[in-house]
Amino acid sequence: APAAPLARLFRAAAPPVLVAAPGGNKKRKSAEEGEKASEDQSLSIIQESPVKAKKARKKERSEAEKKLSQRENTLEQADEEEDQKLFQNKVKQKKKASQASTKSVVNSATGATSKQQKRKRVADGAADRRTVFVGNLPVSCTVQVLTSLFKKYGQIQSIRFRSLIPAEDTVSKKVAAIKNKVHPNAKSVNAYVVFKEECDAQKALKENGTEIASGFHIRVDTASKTSSHDNKRSVFLGNLSYDIRDDAVREHFHVCGDVVGVRVVRDRRTGLGKGFGYVLFENTDAVHLALKLNNSVLMGRKIRVQCVVDKKKAQKGPYQSRAAKDRVDKKKKKKSCSNDSFVGEKANPLKKSTKPKRLKTAPRSKAGKNK
């Protein structure tokens, strides 16, 4: 072989020449992009794992925080309830203290008021003993007429009219008395005359039954509550006319005896009678005669005349008194029976026989004997 080609074999190799292939760049780019995507995925996986851990931690923290908040709320509510209870207890204690103080104040005040009331009662009792009631006065009566009638018995302190019916409901009694606006159906009024001394009031009772005007015999009596009405000399009247006057009753019973006073019970608002009244006589004999006028006619009505009964005895009633008598009689009978009790002889007990009793046997039949 020729030497030239062998020499070529042992010569230094020339550097290889790289020639870019037409589709090589694309493959490299896709490979590089795949590597980058894998790196990004790995990074995203690496990043996502702590994010999830953080979220889980947040959830755990939120649940723990909720529990803590619930506990704190319950504790706060319990504290508030305790505070409210303490506040209510304090309020109750304050109320009790205030009530105790008010009771003490009231007791002291009631003590003071009771003393004042006693003083007022004593003063009122003394004033009532110095006061005279004047009934069956005409409507036209004035203060001057009464002063001229009673000034001869002593010094008068005051005079006031009562039982006056105004002409209108809007007008008060005081204004009606001053302006003389009296109801047309009102026929009589009453008055109180107060003296400065008690003895003068007792002297003024002499004017009882005097005729102050035509058809008006006044009734004079003490205003004190201690003055008791004599029931033995009085008579009760029923079924009276509502328009009746005191003088008509006086004239009807004047035949029985001297009439001390007539009282027809009237309505305070209208002044009309309520259908009953009382008549007081000087003697008890006149009462027996007045009872005979029962069912007599007065102003077109048959009046009812009865004896006046004490309220205390009427409350007891006849049945209660009979029951009390029966109880007393029963007690007496029991005592008498206990003293005179019958004692009889004791009977001797029968002696029991000690012999044993024989048993009763049934009689044997003849057929049995033959057998």
Side-chain angles (χ1 to χ4, degrees):
L6 288 172
R8 289 177 184 177
L9 290 171
F10 291 103
R11 285 179 185 175
V17 178
L18 297 173
V19 179
N25 292 328
K26 291 181 180 178
K27 288 180 180 180
R28 285 180 182 177
K29 284 182 180 179
S30 61
E32 288 176 359
E33 287 177 359
E35 288 176 358
K36 286 181 181 179
S38 61
E39 287 177 0
D40 293 333
Q41 286 177 1
S42 61
L43 288 170
S44 63
I45 289 163
I46 293 162
Q47 288 177 0
E48 282 177 358
S49 60
V51 169
K52 287 181 180 179
K54 285 181 181 179
K55 286 182 180 179
R57 288 175 186 175
K58 282 183 180 179
K59 285 181 181 179
E60 290 177 356
R61 287 178 183 176
S62 62
E63 289 177 357
E65 287 176 357
K66 283 180 180 179
K67 290 180 181 179
L68 287 170
S69 63
Q70 287 177 358
R71 288 179 184 177
E72 288 177 355
N73 291 325
T74 52
L75 290 170
E76 287 178 358
Q77 287 178 359
D79 293 334
E80 287 178 358
E81 289 177 356
E82 288 180 358
D83 293 334
Q84 287 179 358
K85 286 181 181 179
L86 291 170
F87 180 73
Q88 288 176 359
N89 291 325
K90 286 181 181 179
V91 171
K92 286 180 181 178
Q93 289 176 359
K94 286 181 181 179
K95 283 183 179 179
K96 287 180 181 179
S98 63
Q99 286 176 359
S101 62
T102 51
K103 281 181 181 179
S104 61
V105 171
V106 168
N107 290 325
S108 61
T110 51
T113 53
S114 61
K115 288 180 181 179
Q116 290 176 359
Q117 286 176 358
K118 286 180 181 179
R119 289 175 184 175
K120 283 182 180 180
R121 286 174 185 173
V122 172
D124 292 337
D128 289 339
R129 287 192 293 272
R130 293 186 290 106
T131 305
V132 168
F133 172 79
V134 185
N136 197 28
L137 290 169
V139 178
S140 60
C141 185
T142 59
V143 176
Q144 295 175 357
V145 174
L146 289 177
T147 51
S148 63
L149 182 63
F150 290 102
K151 68 181 180 180
K152 56 187 175 184
Y153 298 106
Q155 193 172 1
I156 297 169
Q157 188 174 355
S158 64
I159 294 171
R160 55 184 187 272
F161 287 94
R162 292 290 182 270
S163 304
L164 194 141
I165 304 164
E168 298 176 359
D169 295 335
T170 57
V171 180
S172 63
K173 292 182 179 181
K174 189 174 182 180
V175 174
I178 293 167
K179 294 183 178 180
N180 198 13
K181 291 183 178 180
V182 186
H183 199 274
N185 293 330
K187 297 173 183 177
S188 62
V189 294
N190 301 323
Y192 288 96
V193 181
V194 184
F195 291 91
K196 284 192 174 181
E197 294 182 1
E198 185 178 349
C199 59
D200 297 336
Q202 295 295 326
K203 291 177 184 177
L205 298 177
K206 296 178 182 178
E207 293 294 332
N208 184 28
T210 56
E211 190 175 3
I212 194 171
S214 60
F216 288 95
H217 291 80
I218 62 174
R219 180 166 59 92
V220 183
D221 194 6
T222 54
S224 61
K225 295 179 181 179
T226 55
S227 62
S228 59
H229 188 74
D230 193 357
N231 294 326
K232 293 180 180 179
R233 296 186 292 117
S234 302
V235 165
F236 172 79
L237 306 178
N239 197 26
L240 294 172
S241 178
Y242 300 115
D243 297 332
I244 197 167
R245 292 187 179 183
D246 295 352
D247 287 337
V249 178
R250 184 185 288 273
E251 289 177 2
H252 189 75
F253 288 94
H254 184 70
V255 183
C256 303
D258 294 334
V259 179
V260 176
V262 176
R263 183 192 170 197
V264 177
V265 181
R266 301 181 183 278
D267 190 8
R268 293 181 179 179
R269 294 181 180 179
T270 59
L272 296 173
K274 291 185 177 181
F276 64 95
Y278 300 91
V279 180
L280 178 63
F281 295 98
E282 284 188 358
N283 299 318
T284 56
D285 297 333
V287 174
H288 298 289
L289 295 173
L291 291 173
K292 294 179 180 179
L293 293 177
N294 188 22
N295 292 326
S296 60
V297 180
L298 178 61
M299 292 183 68
R301 283 174 173 264
K302 286 186 178 181
I303 62 173
R304 189 172 65 256
V305 184
Q306 295 176 355
C307 294
V308 180
V309 183
D310 292 334
K311 291 182 179 179
K312 293 180 181 179
K313 292 181 180 179
Q315 286 176 358
K316 289 181 180 179
Y319 296 104
Q320 292 180 357
S321 60
R322 287 178 186 174
K325 287 181 181 178
D326 293 336
R327 288 174 187 172
V328 173
D329 293 336
K330 285 180 181 178
K331 286 181 181 178
K332 287 181 180 178
K333 285 181 181 178
K334 285 181 181 178
K335 287 181 181 178
S336 62
C337 291
S338 62
N339 292 328
D340 301 332
S341 60
F342 175 76
V343 179
E345 294 181 357
K346 292 182 179 179
N348 294 321
L350 295 171
K351 293 181 180 180
K352 295 181 180 180
S353 60
T354 57
K355 292 179 181 181
K357 292 182 179 180
R358 292 179 180 178
L359 296 171
K360 291 181 180 181
T361 58
R364 293 180 179 179
S365 60
K366 292 179 180 180
K369 287 179 180 180
N370 294 328
K371 289 179 180 178

